[in-house]
């Protein structure tokens, strides 16, 4: 039974005899050793037969006897005992204590001599082992170690070249520090804590583990918490270790517990928050004193938070921050606003704040005037937070602001925002404009805001901000105007025509050459949404040099000269093309506009843009522009002059045959070019337009078909136009459009085009056998509008589906 004790020794003792002997100068007397543990006894007791044992060891022996159902026996004689009473051996204990003190004193003195960088590793390890051993025996020994000035020597061993020595030194310092604040203070003197912190980044895991265990012990002293946190990088490393997936569990737990101790110091809490450990700060924010809450809220506003952390903060402290906004002092609301500014800048956290009730106090702070109003600098922060909240895309129509159930998109609230915009400084103007930008970016609130802007008559005042010297104000203004332009195009066009400078400012933004910015995309998008047939506005743009800039920008993008811009390249190019197409809507009877279109070679440019696959809007607008240009071709083609027959021709008629003129356009019967007469045939645009008839986007198909239909218009050679389409393989896709169940607009266009195509007898004969075409024409004849039915009737006559004498409708003029 005595053998079972070999593996159950006290953690502070050693069973190895060589180690044990090394701890003593005087010999160990056998009477000092417990027969069970083979260790020097600390609390010797005698049993009834006179044998002496360590109290803890013999008590365990008796307990095991009882648990096994045996009567108690003597471990040495194995004889049964009548009693398990234990009698303290006071004299022996005193003798052992005196012997131990003498030996400890000698060994400590020896350790003082050994603990130096030049000592052999084995001696240093033995000395550290002994110091740890005697400190574990009693607290008074820790005082002895301190008084012997051994602690600085142990700390010096942290710089030893041996990993084993460094690890043992860390362990020894932890043992020396346990439960002794005076020793902790000595350890913390000088640069020792900085050295310990360095171990947290060492590659050797045992060094890291021992270092964090030592820091945990030192952090139990409130006086040392600030010093530990003051070491550069200490808290950052500990935060990393506490959340590490690769460190062992013990190290992670010790790092976490160390951080919990360091939370006693406010500076450390701030550092933890900086490094992503927000909970301590939030705890003080929610549970600390009023001054502490104010301090933490203010600091929270200074932090740069990741999006995940913003959500966490909103969930944890959002309601408390909103409560401060509702009823706190101005000082508290200022600190809270700064914190809310940080938290609200992410969509998910902003929505949490909305649920917590942030909107009513924010709006109230913005609109309150008089003695209770916030200073303008705080109103700016309120506006910033509200702008962040609005950009979250929440359903603001359903969130009441007051007992009257007004919402952020109620007409009078929007009127108040518009009034405030016109009566504040640039900083808050920008934020208020951004609020409206957010509300007009949502399809659910767009119409409410547009209606309120119209009813307030604020269009002109909003346009004035386009000239603002502050870039952020100008950007927000242009963004807002771009957002509302699809529904307020005419109002904005009227306002731009009636004011000076704003149009020029927009054009200057578009002309900038620093890549492609969002502001440029918004500026050109705004102009693109203005009514394209407004000739007065087009002339204003012409006077400002807009079209020269636009052509240059389009060319640069197509040639790859303009680089950068990322996601803004496409909307910028779409806007440029739409603005440029304005010129094609006012060509009729305008020689100077025609001259400009020729100068910019718009026919070739829009033909080239037709090939920008993937940019549906660019292709649609280009086809529409080509339609407008092609309508002018019959007026602009140069008709050859045939000389009058001379006197001889009257006498000899055989000499009067007209001269043969070559190079004439088949469709327009004149000299055509893509540059001068915008001829689709000469510009080789027909094939590209036909290719667009197979597009997935109906808008592209409609625009391409409309452009091709100009080759079949009255005033041109329709039969030759049909031949041109046939040569370009364009008839089949037009018939396919007719047969498909497409949009009403496309159906009307296809019926018109097919009727013209069927005027060519050989094609009409070929198509007459196609039942699908006949069915589609009959359907148009039965269900189309008045004009479509007329056209369908004529088409059916071409393929003999209706008799020619059945005048169902009067002839068209």
């Amino acid at each position: 039974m005595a053998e079972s004790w070999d593996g159950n020794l006290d953690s502070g003792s050693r069973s190895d005899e060589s180690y044990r002997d090394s701890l003593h100068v005087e010999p160990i007397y056998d009477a000092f050793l417990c027969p069970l543990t083979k260790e020097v006894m600390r609390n010797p007791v005698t049993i009834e037969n006179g044998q002496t044992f360590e109290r803890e060891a013999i008590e365990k022996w008796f307990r095991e006897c009882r648990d096994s159902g045996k009567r108690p026996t003597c471990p040495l004689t194995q004889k049964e005992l009548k009693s398990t009473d234990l009698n303290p051996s006071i004299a022996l204990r005193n003798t052992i204590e005196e012997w131990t003190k003498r030996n400890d004193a000698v060994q400590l003195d020896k350790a003082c001599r050994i603990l130096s960088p030049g000592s052999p590793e084995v001696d240093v390890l033995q000395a550290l082992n002994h110091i740890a051993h005697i400190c574990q025996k009693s607290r008074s020994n820790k005082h002895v170690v301190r008084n012997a000035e051994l602690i600085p020597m142990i700390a010096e061993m942290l710089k030893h070249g041996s990993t084993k020595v460094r690890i043992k030194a860390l362990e020894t310092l932890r043992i020396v520090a346990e439960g002794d604040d005076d020793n902790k203070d000595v350890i913390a003197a000088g640069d020792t804590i900085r050295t310990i912190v360095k171990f947290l980044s060492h590659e050797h895991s045992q060094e890291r583990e021992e270092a964090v265990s030592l820091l945990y012990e030192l952090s139990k002293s409130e006086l040392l918490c600030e010093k530990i946190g003051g070491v550069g990088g200490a808290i950052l490393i500990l935060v990393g270790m506490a959340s590490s997936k690769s460190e062992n569990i013990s190290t992670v737990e010790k790092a976490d517990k160390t951080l919990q101790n360091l939370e006693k110091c406010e500076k450390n809490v701030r550092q933890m928050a900086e490094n992503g450990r927000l909970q301590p700060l939030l705890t003080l924010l929610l549970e600390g004193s009023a001054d502490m809450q104010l301090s933490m809220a203010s600091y929270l506003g200074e932090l740069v938070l990741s999006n995940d952390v913003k959500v966490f903060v909103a969930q944890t402290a959002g309601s408390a921050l909103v409560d401060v906004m509702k009823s706190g002092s101005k000082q508290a609301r200022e600190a809270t606003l700064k914190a809310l500014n940080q938290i609200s800048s992410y969509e998910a956290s902003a929505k949490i704040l909305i649920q917590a009730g942030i909107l009513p106090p924010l709006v109230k702070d913005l609109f309150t005037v008089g003695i209770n109003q916030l200073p303008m600098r705080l109103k700016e922060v309120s506006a910033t937070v509200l702008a962040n909240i609005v950009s979250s895309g929440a359903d603001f129509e359903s969130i009441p602001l007051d007992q009257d159930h007004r919402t952020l998109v109620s007409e009078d609230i929007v009127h108040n925002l518009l009034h405030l915009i016109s009566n504040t400084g640039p900083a808050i103007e920008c934020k208020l404009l951004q609020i409206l930008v957010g509300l007009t970016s949502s399809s659910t609130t767009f119409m409410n805001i547009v209606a309120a802007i119209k009813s307030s008559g604020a269009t002109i005042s909003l346009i004035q901000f386009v000239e603002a010297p502050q870039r952020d104000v100008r950007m927000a203004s242009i963004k807002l105007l771009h957002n509302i332009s699809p529904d307020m195009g005419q109002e904005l066009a009227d306002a731009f025509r009636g004011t000076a400078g704003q149009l020029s400012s927009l054009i200057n933004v578009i002309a900038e050459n620093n890549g492609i910015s969002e502001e440029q995309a918004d500026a050109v998008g705004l102009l693109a949404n203005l009514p394209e047939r407004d000739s007065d506005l087009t002339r204003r743009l012409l006077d400002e040099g807009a079209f020269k800039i636009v052509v240059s920008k389009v060319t640069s993008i197509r040639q790859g000269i303009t680089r950068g811009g990322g996601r803004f390249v496409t909307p910028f190019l779409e806007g440029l093309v739409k603005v440029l197409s304005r010129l094609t809507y006012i060509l009729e009877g305008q020689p100077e506009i025609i001259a400009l279109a020729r100068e910019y070679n718009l026919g070739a440019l829009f033909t080239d843009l037709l090939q920008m696959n993937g940019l549906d809007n660019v292709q649609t607008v280009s086809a529409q522009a080509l339609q407008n240009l092609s309508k002018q071709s019959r007026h602009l083609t140069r008709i050859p002059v045939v000389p009058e027959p001379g006197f001889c021709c009257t006498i000899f008629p055989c000499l009067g045959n007209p001269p043969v003129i070559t190079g004439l356009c088949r469709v327009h019967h004149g000299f055509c070019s893509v540059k001068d007469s915008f001829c689709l045939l000469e510009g080789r645009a027909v094939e590209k337009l036909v290719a667009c008839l197979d597009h997935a986007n109906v808008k592209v198909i409609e625009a391409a078909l409309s452009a091709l239909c100009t080759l079949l218009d009255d005033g041109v050679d329709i039969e030759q136009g049909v031949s041109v389409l046939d040569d370009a393989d364009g008839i089949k896709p037009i018939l396919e459009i007719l047969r498909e169940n497409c949009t009403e607009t496309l159906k009307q266009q296809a019926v018109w085009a097919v009727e013209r195509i069927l005027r060519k007898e050989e094609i009409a004969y070929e198509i007459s056998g196609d039942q699908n075409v006949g069915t589609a024409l009959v359907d148009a004849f039965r269900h189309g509008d008045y004009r479509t039915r007329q056209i369908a009737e004529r088409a059916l006559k071409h393929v003999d589906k209706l008799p020619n004498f059945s005048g169902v409708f009067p002839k068209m003029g």
Side-chain angles (χ1 to χ4, degrees), residues 738-809:
L738 177 67
R739 287 192 291 261
E740 289 178 353
N741 187 18
C742 48
T743 65
E744 192 61 33
T745 301
L746 262 181
K747 186 179 294 184
Q748 292 172 359
Q749 286 179 313
V751 170
W752 185 92
V754 168
E755 189 276 326
R756 298 273 166 148
I757 291 169
L758 293 177
R759 292 182 187 183
K760 191 168 183 178
E761 290 186 5
E762 57 266 34
I763 292 180
Y765 177 76
E766 182 181 342
I767 292 174
S768 62
D770 189 332
Q771 292 184 350
N772 291 327
V773 172
T775 301
L777 288 172
V778 169
D779 182 70
F781 176 67
R782 292 179 58 201
H783 304 293
D785 60 19
Y786 181 82
R787 182 171 180 273
T788 302
R789 291 171 67 187
Q790 284 184 313
I791 298 171
E793 178 196 4
R794 290 200 301 273
L796 287 167
K797 288 178 182 179
H798 294 322
V799 292
D800 296 329
K801 297 294 184 181
L802 281 176
N804 282 328
F805 56 80
S806 61
V808 179
F809 296 100

Side-chain angles (χ1 to χ4, degrees), residues 503-508 510-511 527 537-553 576 579-580 583 596 599-600:
L503 208 55
S504 177
S505 295
L506 276 181
I507 294 166
N508 289 337
I510 296 169
L527 290 180
L537 182 61
T538 301
R539 291 185 177 280
R540 281 287 306 276
L541 290 169
L542 187 59
D543 293 342
E544 297 285 353
F547 295 106
K548 183 177 181 179
I549 293 168
V550 168
V551 170
S552 172
K553 292 288 183 183
L576 290 172
V579 170
L580 187 58
L583 289 174
L596 196 65
E599 179 185 344
Y600 295 143

Side-chain angles (χ1 to χ4, degrees), residues 37-56:
T37 65
K38 304 298 187 288
E39 292 294 325
V40 176
M41 292 181 285
R42 287 177 292 180
N43 190 8
V45 293
T46 304
I47 60 176
E48 70 173 34
N49 67 357
Q51 295 294 333
T52 303
F53 301 90
E54 177 66 46
R55 177 184 287 275
E56 184 179 343

Side-chain angles (χ1 to χ4, degrees), residues 554 558 570-571 573-578 581 584-585 602-603 605-629 680 685 687-708:
V554 171
R558 290 293 286 146
T570 296
L573 180 59
E574 289 175 345
L576 290 172
V577 175
K578 187 83 180 289
S581 73
T584 69
Y585 287 90
L602 291 189
L605 180 57
F606 285 118
T607 300
D608 181 51
L609 291 169
L610 270 182
Q611 301 175 85
M612 299 203 70
N613 296 323
L615 299 182
D616 295 5
N617 291 338
V618 170
Q619 290 179 299
T620 300
V621 172
S622 298
Q624 290 168 343
L626 286 173
Q627 176 193 0
N628 297 336
L629 290 168
L680 296 181
E687 293 82 359
K688 297 178 178 65
L689 289 166
V690 168
C692 290
L693 296 180
D694 193 34
H695 204 284
N697 189 325
V698 173
K699 294 293 184 184
V700 177
I701 299 174
E702 289 178 357
L705 183 54
S706 294
L708 290 171

Side-chain angles (χ1 to χ4, degrees), residues 90-107:
I90 296 174
L92 178 59
R93 185 175 66 188
N94 291 339
T95 301
I96 291 173
E97 287 178 354
E98 291 174 3
W99 174 85
T100 301
K101 286 179 181 178
R102 289 196 302 274
N103 279 289
D104 286 346
V106 171
Q107 288 298 330

